[in-house]
Amino acid sequence: MKKIMMTMAAAMVAVAMNAQNFYAGGSLGYTTRSYDGSTLNSTFRFIPEFGISFNENIGVGVELGYSSSTNETSDPKLTNSTFTFAPYFRYTPLHIGKVNVFADGKFSYSANNNEQAINGKAEDNKTNTWGFYVQPGIAYNLNDKFSLVAKFGNILGYSSSKPDVSGAKATTNFQFMNLSNAVQFGFYYNF
């Protein structure tokens, strides 16, 4: 086991030494909806991202995400929190001046917890979701160090969700050209 771990560590160091560029960044978002001054629901999202570019076209990275939403309109009140781990392979086929067009082949795992308060007693419903997605994006390089990034829905996607209870059945979802998802804006700092 020790030899395997040492070999893996040596391989990771070799890959990092051949990398052209390291980047770190991500996105942050907050949404709230209200009616006549009363909050109905709100969502907070934080998605840090880290990656390595091996050349101008090929790279790998990972997104670590956390989101939390609260629905005040229902009785009982619903609270949802999600942690996501999503490593990806990035291909950047188009470079036009300061603009790079890319596509991420992403594997994603999410642990979701829906909490519902009934008569003052909290009830948790946990769900595990995994999936594969191809997500297009654009990066605008402000200078050598900073880039603005936008990611758009999914060109292709497959996911499977299963509640974390005994005997639960999985729900699968297939997506093709689903660009209706919210656009995700962020930034990168290039080392």
Side-chain angles (χ1 to χ4, degrees):
M1 183 63 147
K2 189 175 182 181
K3 289 181 184 181
I4 292 172
M5 295 300 285
M6 292 299 289
T7 303
M8 288 176 62
M12 289 173 63
V13 168
V15 165
M17 289 176 69
N18 289 326
Q20 179 183 5
N21 184 27
F22 292 92
Y23 59 89
S27 63
L28 179 69
Y30 179 77
T31 304
T32 185
R33 186 171 62 103
S34 62
Y35 176 75
D36 197 25
S38 298
T39 300
L40 301 178
N41 57 35
S42 59
T43 302
F44 169 76
R45 184 183 63 195
F46 176 60
I47 306 172
E49 184 175 343
F50 308 94
I52 301 170
S53 297
F54 299 110
N55 58 45
E56 67 178 18
N57 296 333
I58 304 293
V60 295
V62 64
E63 290 179 353
L64 303 170
Y66 174 77
S67 67
S68 176
S69 63
T70 303
N71 187 344
E72 304 278 350
T73 60
S74 63
D75 187 23
K77 178 173 133 180
L78 299 174
T79 303
N80 178 299
S81 60
T82 304
F83 172 77
T84 303
F85 172 76
Y88 60 82
F89 170 81
R90 175 165 292 168
Y91 179 60
T92 309
L94 192 57
H95 306 273
I96 305 168
K98 294 184 174 191
V99 176
N100 297 330
V101 178
F102 62 86
D104 290 345
K106 184 184 304 185
F107 172 81
S108 176
Y109 170 76
S110 297
N112 182 294
N113 184 32
N114 290 308
E115 186 178 296
Q116 185 174 352
I118 301 172
N119 296 327
K121 185 177 178 184
E123 181 179 306
D124 290 341
N125 297 310
K126 297 180 181 178
T127 304
N128 296 304
T129 303
W130 66 269
F132 175 77
Y133 308 94
V134 177
Q135 183 178 44
I138 296 175
Y140 179 76
N141 302 311
L142 298 170
N143 54 40
D144 289 342
K145 294 294 181 186
F146 290 98
S147 301
L148 298 177
V149 179
K151 297 180 184 180
F152 312 95
N154 300 313
I155 295 173
L156 185 64
Y158 173 83
S159 64
S160 178
S161 298
K162 187 175 178 184
D164 195 10
V165 294
S166 179
K169 304 282 186 193
T171 301
T172 58
N173 184 19
F174 177 75
Q175 302 171 8
F176 179 71
M177 296 303 286
N178 182 14
L179 302 177
S180 63
N181 289 350
V183 177
Q184 180 181 333
F185 293 102
F187 75 95
Y188 291 154
Y189 178 78
N190 302 295
F191 295 94

